[in-house]
Amino acid sequence: MQPLVQLRKHLATGFAMPFKHREVAGKVLVTNTEGDFLLLEGDEFAAFARGDVAKGTDLYERLASRNFVRAEVDERRMVERLRARKRFLSWGPNLHIVVVTLRCNETCVYCHASRADMDATHTDMSPAVADRTVDQIFATTSPDVTIEFQGGEPLVAFDVVKRIVERARQKNETAGKRLEFTMVSNLSLMDEEKLAWLVENKVQICTSIDGPEHLHDKQRKLLVRGPDGKSAAGSAHAEATRWIRRLNEAYAKMGLDPTLYHVEALLTTTRDALPRWKEIVDTYVDLGCRALFLRPVDPFGFADKTAPRVEYPRAEYLAFYRSAVDYMIELNARGVEILERFAAIFLTKILGGEDPNFLDVRSPCGAGIGQVAYNYDGKVFTCDEGRMLHEMGDDTFLLGEVAGGGEAPRGAAAPDGAVRRRYREMMGHETVRALAIASNLDAQPDCVNCTYQPYCGVCPVHNHKTQGSIFGRMRESTLCAVHKGIQDYLFERIGTGDPHVLRVFQQWTTVRDRTHFLQTCAT
Amino acid sequence: MIELRLHRELYRGECVDEAMKALGAYAAFERAEEPAHWVVRVTAASPERERRVAGELGNRALGLTVKRGGA
Amino acid sequence: MDALPPDLVSIDLAARAVSLRVDASLYPVGAVYAAAYVFLDRCYVLLDRPDAAHVRVSLSWKKGDPPAGALEALAGEFANELLSCAWRARIAEESRAVIEATTARALSGAMGAPSLDDLESFQFGDEAFEDPLGIAMSWEEKYGKQKKEAAK
């Protein structure tokens, strides 16, 4: 293929709309500002770059239909597509992560939450902080509110969870938001009473499954108290899978569609997981999960210290990713419904032209303006990663302390010096502003010229941790390598034209609303 | 004694002064002015300490200068 | 030191430092400041002007002796950061309008309209405020005099 640098002298600026290009599996991917794309053969791309495409030809029609031809540009389509991609800018944070305790009964090798031991009761959220947190959450301008309970292990502070759910429901009677609750739990402290309450109160459950039992239990240590009162090693995997099945049974008993209503699970991909992609996918399928999120390990919390044991070059992760997703596509051909979450997020943007508002992969990112993290002590952060850095001693992403509905005086300093701030002050905080600029791909070297810019996102907190500034350098970013690698893979598969693959990918962009979990108002 | 030479086109004088004030407990400073540089002579209990204090002073003066938009 | 050009980068092992000679026409001083700031936590950074066309950046190892290759790596990373900062400054200049529009939309969307409590601390007064674009001027104030002069 002729290098573009040789074509530059022929570039007819009158023919093409601005585009970016990248070689993917022997073809040339071109994208435009609003995220339309085409995969061209080498000679097609050369003709396009030269402006040497005759009207009425198949290539001309394909280019024109996707707004690549200046003379045929449909401005209204361009505006509509851009608007659809940036719709999330119109409102504030919809995701509110509430860390109800740092206490946890499991020790995970990659823990990024900096968990505390079970006797650290001072890390439980107090009722007063819980109330102020709920009040502040409902000041959001977003019509959608998801309160996500995290820890530590949130089941340790179940009373706090219940208090927040009840208060949030009361607030919502006047606020009228589309309110949902989710909980990220290891499930090992679940019992029938808690299960009944969570199911009755429509709290969606998400857990971690690292794959087959031997892998999961190697990475996630659970100590249980035996009949003799002594601690002994339990099986975190057995506990999690037991309660996944129980919860799924409970949903089915309520008459809910099991393909839509079931416990979701997440994977943290460690070095030990890399050769086990097939076992991992099979484990999720056996558990009735319909989605698998192949997340690479991140640099926060304990993962930073245990990196020598768990980390790996991103090229190895991408090889794992390709094998796992190839296998999932194959399973779909056999009628097994299983999707990969990262792929679904990107495909919704690529094929659907919509933004699924996944806060870590959008421009600007969701730090502050899309999500907020409330720590057990009332401190508020731009995002969960920012909170994790605080637990590691870095307060760069601290916005202040939750002021709540107004009974606490604004601007008052808490005993440890954190300033109480209300919602609007936090949204206008200089850190939130800085992150909105730093995560804007229109302002970012490399991203500004990247073919994947319409679909992608950066994490300023990840940049800060790994490279020393919120802007970062994408060529050296492991996160950029992951995003590029996944999108290369997806476009490679799209480029084969395989109708089964395209059908599966389209299915993965279809979002079926889980309306059962919407909290309805009393009126 | 270490002599730190901070170029006037790159460092604000007031920022150099503030840095000296902040680190006053760790070393003795003597300030001089040359046409192109702010000069700070750093004297401390040991050569390594002088190096450290001079380095921290330079960093602090630079950080303050950057925060204020440059020299 | 094979990877880095010797006329631009020099190592002083005794001083535990590496220096870079930066062309001021390629890297505006704002970019030098931005890159230098990123490294303040990791090393001692000293800027100087050997001549009008250059800035010298010296990076000194903070504690102990640097491991083998560490100073070269530091210089290489600084050079990358400097390039990134220089390019970012240019992008910001070229794309200022779209960056401002997105940021303003994102923040106003998140903040929403002010409440009465929020406005409590706002200074409503008759004192003059800065109005570089003349937005607060009436049409007559802005154009009336020019119309009269044009008529003459």
Side-chain angles (χ1 to χ4, degrees):
Chain A
M1 190 183 320
Q2 197 173 7
L4 183 61
V5 66
Q6 292 179 12
L7 289 168
R8 276 196 203 285
K9 58 183 177 183
H10 300 295
L11 266 176
T13 53
F15 181 78
M17 287 296 285
F19 68 91
K20 301 177 182 77
H21 77 290
R22 182 180 177 85
E23 197 177 326
V24 176
K27 295 191 179 184
V28 182
L29 170 68
V30 291
T31 62
N32 58 23
T33 308
E34 62 268 34
D36 274 309
F37 75 91
L38 277 173
L39 280 154
L40 303 175
E41 301 296 337
D43 55 350
E44 290 180 322
F45 176 68
F48 167 57
R50 284 198 187 93
D52 188 18
V53 183
K55 200 166 176 175
T57 59
D58 171 68
L59 177 59
Y60 188 94
E61 294 310 315
R62 281 159 57 208
L63 290 165
S65 68
R66 299 289 184 106
N67 257 3
F68 283 99
V69 179
R70 192 176 290 270
E72 310 283 351
V73 77
D74 181 344
E75 284 174 14
R76 183 185 283 187
R77 173 192 162 90
M78 186 191 285
V79 165
E80 279 169 9
R81 283 179 76 79
L82 274 169
R83 186 177 288 139
R85 290 190 187 282
K86 297 294 182 188
R87 200 177 27 189
F88 53 79
L89 289 178
S90 301
W91 53 75
N94 60 292
L95 177 62
H96 300 266
I97 294 168
V98 183
V99 176
V100 293
T101 182
L102 288 186
R103 292 196 283 155
C104 187
N105 64 327
E106 286 186 13
T107 306
C108 304
V109 67
Y110 48 70
C111 178
H112 54 198
S114 299
R115 48 84 74 199
D117 288 339
M118 288 294 282
D119 56 359
T121 52
H122 64 283
T123 67
D124 289 356
M125 185 177 270
S126 72
V129 168
D131 290 351
R132 292 208 311 270
T133 298
V134 172
D135 294 350
Q136 191 124 328
I137 286 171
F138 276 85
T140 182
T141 54
S142 173
D144 298 293
V145 169
T146 299
I147 295 178
E148 182 170 289
F149 297 106
Q150 288 196 19
E153 168 48 52
L155 290 178
V156 171
F158 197 58
D159 285 345
V160 180
V161 170
K162 285 161 76 175
R163 187 184 183 101
I164 288 173
V165 167
E166 281 155 24
R167 191 176 180 97
R169 279 224 193 86
Q170 276 169 22
K171 294 287 291 187
N172 204 38
E173 284 176 14
T174 43
K177 307 277 189 193
R178 283 171 52 95
L179 173 64
E180 293 181 60
F181 300 107
T182 65
M183 177 186 285
V184 182
S185 167
N186 64 39
L187 298 181
S188 60
L189 291 174
M190 188 67 77
D191 55 41
E192 289 295 336
E193 193 184 331
K194 290 193 184 81
L195 185 147
W197 190 93
L198 289 166
V199 169
E200 186 185 330
N201 287 276
K202 303 180 184 178
V203 179
Q204 301 171 75
I205 305 296
C206 184
T207 190
S208 283
I209 294 289
D210 284 354
E213 187 170 3
H214 59 92
L215 177 59
H216 184 104
D217 287 345
K218 184 181 173 189
Q219 299 181 160
R220 301 175 68 94
K221 302 292 185 193
L222 170 65
L223 284 179
V224 295
R225 204 167 290 282
D228 57 358
K230 290 186 183 165
S231 292
S235 169
H237 186 271
E239 290 299 311
T241 52
R242 170 160 80 109
W243 290 108
I244 287 173
R245 295 192 205 282
R246 262 303 286 125
L247 280 156
N248 289 345
E249 266 171 32
Y251 293 139
K253 204 171 169 187
M254 293 169 76
L256 297 172
D257 178 358
T259 65
L260 195 52
Y261 295 100
H262 47 263
V263 176
E264 295 276 351
L266 301 170
L267 171 78
T268 300
T269 311
T270 59
R271 193 188 300 155
D272 284 342
L274 295 178
R276 297 183 167 89
W277 48 268
K278 187 176 184 301
E279 286 177 82
I280 288 167
V281 175
D282 286 340
T283 300
Y284 272 69
V285 171
D286 287 344
L287 284 170
C289 297
R290 297 291 195 278
L292 171 47
F293 200 162
L294 297 175
R295 301 180 305 172
V297 73
D298 64 38
F300 305 107
F302 295 173
D304 196 31
K305 292 192 182 70
T306 56
R309 199 176 136 194
V310 305
E311 260 287 11
Y312 39 80
R314 287 304 178 261
E316 290 179 22
Y317 163 82
L318 288 168
F320 157 86
Y321 184 88
R322 283 170 168 259
S323 299
V325 180
D326 278 347
Y327 180 49
M328 281 188 243
I329 292 172
E330 195 187 307
L331 284 175
N332 274 267
R334 296 188 228 153
V336 176
E337 265 188 51
I338 182 84
L339 67 80
E340 199 284 313
R341 190 67 71 193
F342 245 139
I345 289 162
F346 282 118
L347 289 169
T348 302
K349 301 175 192 236
I350 293 166
L351 300 177
E354 292 286 335
D355 197 299
N357 201 23
F358 183 70
L359 302 166
D360 298 356
V361 185
R362 64 171 224 190
S363 171
C365 77
I369 58 174
Q371 68 163 294
V372 182
Y374 307 82
N375 210 7
Y376 68 91
D377 56 2
K379 290 194 174 60
V380 185
F381 300 88
T382 56
C383 50
D384 202 30
E385 289 77 9
R387 187 198 65 80
M388 293 173 199
L389 277 186
H390 161 73
E391 296 296 340
M392 297 166 76
D394 181 343
D395 278 348
T396 303
F397 304 98
L398 171 66
L399 298 179
E401 193 171 294
V402 65
E407 67 282 356
R410 277 168 61 203
D416 60 3
V419 176
R420 283 205 181 156
R421 292 195 169 95
R422 293 207 189 139
Y423 168 81
R424 200 168 184 272
E425 287 174 278
M426 288 194 178
M427 291 301 106
H429 195 282
E430 58 184 3
T431 303
V432 173
R433 284 185 267 143
L435 296 181
I437 295 170
S439 62
N440 186 338
L441 300 191
D442 289 317
Q444 176 70 263
D446 227 2
C447 301
V448 75
N449 285 341
C450 182
T451 315
Y452 295 138
Q453 199 218 60
Y455 319 120
C456 210
V458 300
C459 179
V461 182
H462 189 280
N463 294 338
H464 169 81
K465 177 68 179 73
T466 57
Q467 296 180 337
S469 88
I470 57 173
F471 296 98
R473 300 180 297 277
M474 290 305 107
R475 290 283 162 163
E476 296 163 55
S477 163
T478 54
L479 203 53
C480 176
V482 165
H483 289 171
K484 273 201 176 103
I486 290 174
Q487 290 174 96
D488 279 345
Y489 168 75
L490 293 174
F491 276 106
E492 191 182 301
R493 294 307 308 258
I494 290 169
T496 63
D498 182 333
H500 166 66
V501 171
L502 295 175
R503 193 167 45 246
V504 169
F505 280 359
Q506 279 293 349
Q507 279 168 359
W508 287 5
T509 68
T510 306
V511 176
R512 290 161 66 203
D513 278 336
R514 307 212 297 176
T515 52
H516 167 78
F517 288 120
L518 269 179
Q519 302 287 326
T520 47
C521 301
T523 50
Chain B
M1 189 270 292
I2 281 185
E3 190 172 275
L4 195 58
R5 304 167 65 76
L6 305 172
H7 204 286
R8 287 169 183 261
E9 287 180 20
L10 297 167
Y11 295 84
R12 284 193 183 210
E14 80 216 35
C15 298
V16 177
D17 289 338
E18 280 179 44
M20 284 167 56
K21 200 171 170 183
L23 294 167
Y26 304 102
F29 300 117
E30 191 193 314
R31 190 179 148 160
E33 289 185 25
E34 287 179 2
H37 293 87
W38 313 108
V39 179
V40 182
R41 295 184 184 105
V42 182
T43 309
S46 68
E48 185 57 32
R49 192 174 177 118
E50 284 172 356
R51 182 184 186 274
R52 252 183 94 181
V53 174
E56 293 294 339
L57 193 152
N59 275 8
R60 191 174 276 262
L62 179 57
L64 289 169
T65 300
V66 172
K67 275 191 177 175
R68 288 175 203 177
Chain C
M1 189 177 46
D2 296 333
L4 301 167
D7 56 327
L8 297 178
V9 183
S10 60
I11 285 195
D12 184 342
L13 282 172
R16 296 176 277 160
V18 59
S19 290
L20 296 94
R21 188 178 164 82
V22 174
D23 187 329
S25 68
L26 294 175
Y27 303 97
V29 70
V32 177
Y33 278 144
Y37 198 87
V38 171
F39 281 73
L40 291 180
D41 61 333
R42 274 189 276 174
C43 52
Y44 299 130
V45 183
L46 192 63
L47 306 182
D48 199 14
R49 266 206 192 281
D51 55 69
H54 293 88
V55 174
R56 182 168 53 237
V57 181
S58 299
L59 307 171
S60 300
W61 201 256
K62 275 194 179 180
K63 250 186 185 173
D65 289 323
L71 290 173
E72 289 91 337
L74 198 60
E77 205 184 325
F78 185 87
N80 285 357
E81 181 66 37
L82 183 58
L83 177 62
S84 188
C85 291
W87 189 11
R88 187 175 306 108
R90 187 178 288 190
I91 291 167
E93 212 177 288
E94 291 171 358
S95 304
R96 188 179 174 132
V98 72
I99 296 167
E100 282 184 354
T102 306
T103 309
R105 184 72 177 262
L107 293 174
S108 64
M111 289 175 76
S115 66
L116 288 176
D117 283 344
D118 293 318
L119 290 171
E120 188 188 357
S121 57
F122 190 83
Q123 297 293 332
F124 292 98
D126 293 330
E127 295 89 15
F129 60 93
E130 287 179 16
D131 182 23
L133 299 178
I135 291 168
M137 290 171 72
S138 70
W139 192 91
E140 285 75 19
E141 281 176 301
K142 209 166 181 177
Y143 298 109
K145 194 178 174 189
Q146 291 165 22
K147 197 177 169 188
K148 278 184 193 168
E149 284 174 352
K152 281 181 194 170

